Amino acid sequence: MTAPRVEIDLTKIEENARCLVDRLGAYGISVTGVTKGVCGHPDVAGAMVDGGVAGLADARITNIVRMRMAGITCPVSMLRAPMASELEAVIRHCDTSYNTEMDTILKLGLAAEKRGASQDIILIVEMGDGREGILPEALNDFATLVIATPWVALKGIAANFACMGSVAPTAADMITLSRLADSVEGGCGPFVDLVSGGGSANVPWALGEHTAWRVNNLRLGEAILLGLDPVTGRPIDGLHTDAFALFAEVIEARGKPGTIPHETTPPDLGPLRIVGQDNPGTRVVLAVGQQDTDAGDLTFPSGFTFVGATSDHTVVDTGQSVMPVGSEMKMGMRYGALMRAMSARDVAKAVHGKRDMTTRAKDHDPPPFLTLV
Ligand SMILES: *Cc1c(COP(=O)(O)O)cnc(C)c1O
């Protein structure tokens, strides 16, 4: 097989999805499968659907079009607030979009009217992560404007945690979010259907002893794909952490002098070039680099240590193990490494446990202005 490549075990992804769907379902919390970490890879999306997720979501319309083209017909939400240039595509391919700007919502309404299909809107509330979101005190007035807008329907509210920052949400945050839902209904009348309490960072709360209050949805990427809690980096009980593996070929293997002077390291590459001072092991050079993945976000077989990486090479100390030229090293990936590998042109994707996608109807054509690569 060609290298570098990502090998994907669809059965493990399906099992992770089902495990979370079942466990959260017991608390009345539905799961939206987030596909942006795999660039909307249709087989991975299909495995999430087979695992029982209520719908899918992605931050990029190109990824969503890719899934639609492959025959994914379940509800798909646009997670990132749409750009002006992609409103028509969002209306065409997404049932729902997450929004924070009234101007965009008005334009979505106009695009929806043109197509004759109403768009569901979920309002993102800023709850301390510092990325996007409407300020809580402005939410009621904002919701009133959305409700008055033709061709859009207010479907729910959502919070983000640990996207920019790395602070996990608390039970108190979930109470606040629930009260915001009550308050929007008090002010505006219509039922706020969906109260989405965040992403994988909120799984520990959701699986622990808790009251869900009004939180009835989580949007999960990392937990399903990698089985990890993004805040602690630790595995979530009962989930597979090895659904993805990266394989790269050894193109050089030899002992190197233990001490390489630090002066040879350009300072701007900083921590990527961790050059050991006293290193008796064998160094191998892999034909994979920062252009293919986030090398610092890889995990290596036990006894191996990451030495450094440049755009096209990764150096690993294999300790007492011998890895001949031409052999392949298997590595694990954290989220950043996975995301970049899945979007890298020169990294092949090999799928195990592939399902028949032809049973998923192909009723979504790409809009003419989008080029698929
Ligand atoms: C990426 C993203 C998610 C999913 O995050 P994970 O940590 O991978 O579960 C959820 N919501 C929004 C708005 C996102 O951008």
Side-chain angles (χ1 to χ4, degrees):
M1 264 196 277
T2 59
R5 71 179 178 281
V6 175
E7 293 203 13
I8 308 169
D9 185 331
L10 295 179
T11 304
K12 287 179 178 167
I13 293 161
E14 179 182 342
E15 286 173 1
N16 280 359
R18 182 169 302 114
C19 177
L20 289 161
V21 165
D22 289 348
R23 289 162 78 183
L24 298 178
Y27 293 105
I29 297 174
S30 68
V31 173
T32 299
V34 176
T35 50
K36 68 187 188 204
V38 292
C39 285
H41 193 291
D43 292 315
V44 175
M48 288 184 177
V49 172
D50 291 342
V53 298
L56 298 171
D58 201 288
R60 291 181 191 244
I61 193 66
T62 44
N63 292 344
I64 292 172
V65 171
R66 182 183 182 198
M67 294 193 279
R68 290 304 196 201
M69 291 290 291
I72 298 284
T73 55
C74 73
V76 179
S77 309
M78 176 70 174
L79 272 183
R80 185 171 68 185
M83 293 186 278
S85 58
E86 57 195 17
L87 298 174
E88 281 162 33
V90 168
I91 297 293
R92 185 182 179 116
H93 296 288
C94 306
D95 315 77
T96 306
S97 55
Y98 286 69
N99 284 276
T100 62
E101 287 286 353
M102 205 50 228
D103 200 40
T104 305
I105 295 170
L106 289 170
K107 287 181 183 150
L108 272 171
L110 294 175
E113 180 174 16
K114 242 203 230 153
R115 194 168 166 86
S118 158
Q119 172 91 170
D120 286 339
I121 303 289
I122 294 171
L123 298 179
I124 306 174
V125 191
E126 165 62 62
M127 290 191 65
D129 187 50
R131 202 175 69 182
E132 78 278 36
I134 299 158
L135 296 178
E137 56 270 29
L139 186 63
N140 277 4
D141 289 347
F142 198 108
T144 308
L145 292 174
V146 176
I147 287 159
T149 306
W151 292 95
V152 299
L154 180 61
K155 174 150 184 234
I157 62 173
N160 272 342
F161 299 95
C163 288
M164 284 249 292
S166 52
V167 180
T170 62
D173 290 325
M174 295 303 107
I175 296 174
T176 305
L177 187 64
S178 301
R179 292 210 176 120
L180 284 170
D182 291 341
S183 157
V184 167
E185 284 180 356
C188 309
F191 183 66
V192 177
D193 222 9
L194 192 100
V195 181
S196 187
S200 300
N202 214 2
V203 168
W205 165 80
L207 292 180
E209 276 299 310
H210 74 283
T211 307
W213 304 94
R214 292 200 52 174
V215 176
N216 60 9
N217 175 264
L218 291 184
R219 314 172 304 273
L220 303 181
E222 185 162 351
I224 297 176
L225 298 169
L226 296 177
L228 298 176
D229 170 2
V231 177
T232 61
R234 282 204 284 272
I236 298 167
D237 261 2
L239 301 184
H240 302 285
T241 56
D242 57 351
F244 296 85
L246 179 66
F247 291 78
E249 189 172 318
V250 175
I251 52 170
E252 184 191 290
R254 63 169 55 94
K256 286 269 167 96
T259 303
I260 298 172
H262 265 100
E263 296 78 68
T264 61
T265 307
D268 57 342
L269 283 181
L272 291 178
R273 294 199 175 191
I274 307 160
V275 178
Q277 283 295 302
D278 215 356
N279 204 337
T282 304
R283 294 273 176 91
V284 300
V285 180
L286 301 173
V288 71
Q290 301 289 15
Q291 196 169 105
D292 309 295
T293 187
D294 180 347
D297 217 21
L298 295 170
T299 56
F300 295 89
S302 91
F304 289 19
T305 43
F306 174 65
V307 177
T310 60
S311 54
D312 312 295
H313 300 77
T314 297
V315 180
V316 180
D317 186 319
T318 59
Q320 301 312 310
S321 309
V322 176
M323 290 205 72
V325 169
S327 64
E328 287 186 344
M329 190 180 292
K330 179 182 178 182
M331 292 157 284
M333 290 176 284
R334 297 189 195 94
Y335 194 80
L338 174 69
M339 180 187 69
R340 211 186 292 174
M342 290 304 291
S343 62
R345 187 193 58 187
D346 292 333
V347 178
K349 285 83 185 171
V351 169
H352 299 281
K354 193 168 164 66
R355 324 293 154 83
D356 182 9
M357 297 288 282
T358 57
T359 56
R360 300 192 169 103
K362 277 194 183 183
D363 56 357
H364 289 268
D365 301 324
F369 54 87
L370 277 172
T371 314
L372 290 173
V373 290

